[in-house]
Amino acid sequence: MKPTTLVFPIDEQNRILLGRKKRGFGADKYNGFGGKLEAGESFRDCAIRELFEESGLHGRPEDLECVAAFDFQFPFDESLTHVGYVYFLRTFTGHVEETDEMEPHWLTVDEIPYERMWDGDRQWLPMLLEGKKLKGPIVFGRDNSSVDKMDLTTVDTVLESEHLARIDLYING
Ligand SMILES: Nc1nc2c([nH]c(=O)n2[C@H]2C[C@H](O)[C@@H](COP(=O)(O)OP(=O)(O)OP(=O)(O)O)O2)c(=O)[nH]1
C-alpha cells in the first residue's frame, strides 16, 4: 500500500478529534484523519489535504507536529503493508463536519474509545499524548487487524524522509 498520513487535531481544551470511519479499510473504527500519499505530494501536504477532505478542518503544513513513523506490516496480506506518519495539529480553522468517510467527534482523553480503535492504538496513542515521539514496526496477525508484535522506540525527532527509498518504490512500482 502507498504510505499514509494520520492527523489527530487537538483543541485548546486538550480534546482530540477522532472520526468513526464510515467506509474503506478500517471501517467502523475510530481513527485520526488521513489517507494515502498521492504521487509527487509531501507527507505534510497529504496530511493537510486528507484532514480537510475528511473533517472540514483547514490546517497549515508547518503547524503539523510529526509524532510518529510506523511501519504497519501485514505479513498475511503484504499488499496492505505501508509506512504511516502520525501528526498532531493544534492550530486549525474551519468547522468540523461529517463527511462521506468520517463521523467526527471531539473527545477528552478519558473518552478515547480504544475498544473501537485499531488494536495497537491503546498502547501508542497514550504515549504520544504524553509527549513521546515514536517509530518502529507494528505487525498485524492473520486477521489483518489484531497486533502480533510491536517494537516501538522513543525518538527525539521523527525523520519524515526516513522511508523515502521505500516510498519511491511504492509510488513508482
Ligand atoms: N490508527 C491506526 N491506523 C491504522 C493502523 N493500521 C493501519 O493501516 N491504519 C490506517 C492508516 C490509514 O489511515 C488507514 C488506511 O489507509 P486509508 O485511509 O488510505 O484507507 P482507505 O481504504 O480508506 O483509502 P482511501 O480511499 O481513503 O484513500 O488505516 C493502526 O494500527 N492504527
Side-chain angles (χ1 to χ4, degrees), residues 45-118:
D45 289 343
C46 169
I48 292 296
R49 175 182 53 76
E50 290 278 355
L51 174 70
F52 176 67
E53 287 174 7
E54 296 183 354
S55 78
L57 289 184
H58 292 280
R60 294 185 305 186
E62 61 269 32
D63 289 329
L64 291 165
E65 186 192 355
C66 189
V67 291
F70 295 135
D71 226 325
F72 292 121
Q73 295 177 14
F74 294 84
F76 295 93
D77 183 352
E78 275 296 348
S79 71
L80 296 174
T81 291
H82 66 282
V83 171
Y85 281 86
V86 183
Y87 298 91
F88 285 167
L89 182 68
R90 296 176 196 270
T91 307
F92 44 80
T93 57
H95 295 286
V96 173
E97 54 190 43
E98 182 166 347
T99 60
D100 287 351
E101 185 146 345
M102 284 292 216
E103 178 193 275
H105 299 275
W106 283 111
L107 300 164
T108 64
V109 168
D110 294 337
E111 291 171 336
I112 297 175
Y114 287 111
E115 69 289 352
R116 299 187 63 183
M117 295 172 72
W118 280 86

Side-chain angles (χ1 to χ4, degrees), residues 4 6 21 25 31 35-36 72 82 101 118 121 124 140:
T4 64
L6 203 53
K21 198 163 183 209
F25 189 46
N31 208 343
K36 299 182 196 72
F72 292 121
H82 66 282
E101 185 146 345
W118 280 86
D121 296 19
W124 57 256
F140 295 91

